[in-house]
Amino acid sequence: GEDVEQSLFLSVREGDSSVINCTYTDSSSTYLYWYKQEPGAGLQLLTYIFSNMDMKQDQRLTVLLNKKDKHLSLRIADTQTGDSAIYFCAEKLRRAGGSYIPTFGRGTSLIVHP
Amino acid sequence: DAGVTQSPTHLIKTRGQQVTLRCSPKSGHDTVSWYQQALGQGPQFIFQYYEEEERQRGNFPDRFSGHQFPNYSSELNVNALLLGDSALYLCASSQTGWEKTNEKLFFGSGTQLSVL
């Protein structure tokens, strides 16, 4: 199928690390993305990883990619209350018409409490 | 640079009516994609416009149609509205060739459509 799967909720304490997991569908996906959506807003690209990489670090964010299992994770170090949002995993899928269209999961709602 | 702008921000319609949503892409972008995000769901791809033509389409009925203008702005039209069309409609812009590279996809803040 064409479903990118994510767990729906994650609750952490401020200062702890958060790990959001995703399973994608197509082993030939070239780029995989993490987007953040705050209430009432559109999606903001947080970070991405190219499929020939296993890991990418960007300040507090660490992305891990396991191509064999088609598993992607996002780790947020020292999670802050401002990190509370919905996080979407997305992959670029090649569609029948030849275009690559990002396909999104349902999103993981991250709740950070003091 | 204003980024991607969408109008209106909120809209209330009744079943059977028609609606038009508007999007202006980020400066320098020539491709516009529309997504529907129902409550609690991820964005679902509706269609993509490039050079004033629909280049790719998702699994949406013909009631959903669009248009792109010479200045790259775009409209999404939905006819014969159903209750199930209530959602946040997101516009995203990019530059052609984005699909083969990692040029960023920029999203607007969306139009929240409520169908009563």
Side-chain angles (χ1 to χ4, degrees):
Chain A
E2 285 197 2
D3 290 338
V4 175
E5 296 187 354
Q6 301 178 237
S7 52
L8 295 183
F9 297 99
L10 177 64
S11 178
V12 300
R13 270 190 206 282
E14 191 173 19
D16 288 351
S17 292
S18 308
V19 180
I20 303 171
N21 295 302
C22 166
T23 303
Y24 60 98
T25 65
D26 189 343
S27 58
S28 65
S29 291
T30 53
Y31 289 98
L32 296 134
Y33 301 86
W34 285 103
Y35 284 84
K36 177 183 180 182
Q37 186 178 35
E38 298 185 57
L43 276 67
Q44 173 196 356
L45 178 64
L46 274 182
T47 188
Y48 65 91
I49 189 166
F50 187 49
S51 59
N52 69 352
M53 300 168 66
D54 297 324
M55 184 183 86
K56 179 180 179 182
Q57 187 150 4
D58 184 0
Q59 299 182 334
R60 291 191 299 122
L61 306 178
T62 303
V63 179
L64 294 178
L65 175 61
N66 180 332
K67 283 191 70 174
K68 176 175 167 290
D69 295 335
K70 290 184 277 186
H71 184 263
L72 184 73
S73 68
L74 173 70
R75 178 178 179 269
I76 305 173
D78 187 24
T79 314
Q80 302 297 307
T81 54
D83 294 325
S84 294
I86 302 175
Y87 291 80
F88 292 94
C89 167
E91 61 176 329
K92 266 189 190 172
L93 282 180
R94 186 182 175 92
R95 296 204 170 226
S99 293
Y100 289 79
I101 302 297
T103 300
F104 292 83
R106 288 183 62 182
T108 298
S109 183
L110 174 64
I111 300 164
V112 183
H113 50 92
Chain B
D1 183 0
V4 180
T5 58
Q6 292 187 243
S7 62
T9 54
H10 295 83
L11 205 48
I12 299 175
K13 292 286 189 177
T14 56
R15 278 179 300 176
Q17 284 190 311
Q18 179 263 344
V19 69
T20 297
L21 310 181
R22 295 177 177 81
C23 172
S24 292
K26 180 178 166 59
S27 177
H29 286 182
D30 56 11
T31 302
V32 173
S33 303
W34 287 92
Y35 286 81
Q36 180 195 66
Q37 186 180 16
L39 192 63
Q41 303 292 321
Q44 296 293 311
F45 174 71
I46 303 175
F47 42 52
Q48 183 182 80
Y49 276 84
Y50 170 67
E51 290 190 339
E52 302 178 49
E53 290 191 356
E54 183 183 290
R55 182 162 67 172
Q56 194 69 250
R57 189 177 183 94
N59 295 326
F60 279 80
D62 292 346
R63 297 187 298 110
F64 289 76
S65 63
H67 190 78
Q68 186 179 34
F69 299 95
N71 66 353
Y72 308 120
S73 66
S74 177
E75 288 182 349
L76 164 65
N77 301 293
V78 187
N79 293 324
L81 284 166
L82 303 174
L83 296 180
D85 294 330
S86 295
L88 179 68
Y89 288 84
L90 295 165
C91 169
S93 76
S94 58
Q95 213 163 9
T96 188
W98 167 82
E99 55 269 20
K100 301 247 172 63
T101 69
N102 197 33
E103 175 82 17
K104 288 183 181 179
L105 188 65
F106 285 82
F107 281 83
S109 297
T111 294
Q112 184 65 55
L113 173 64
S114 298
V115 182
L116 306 179

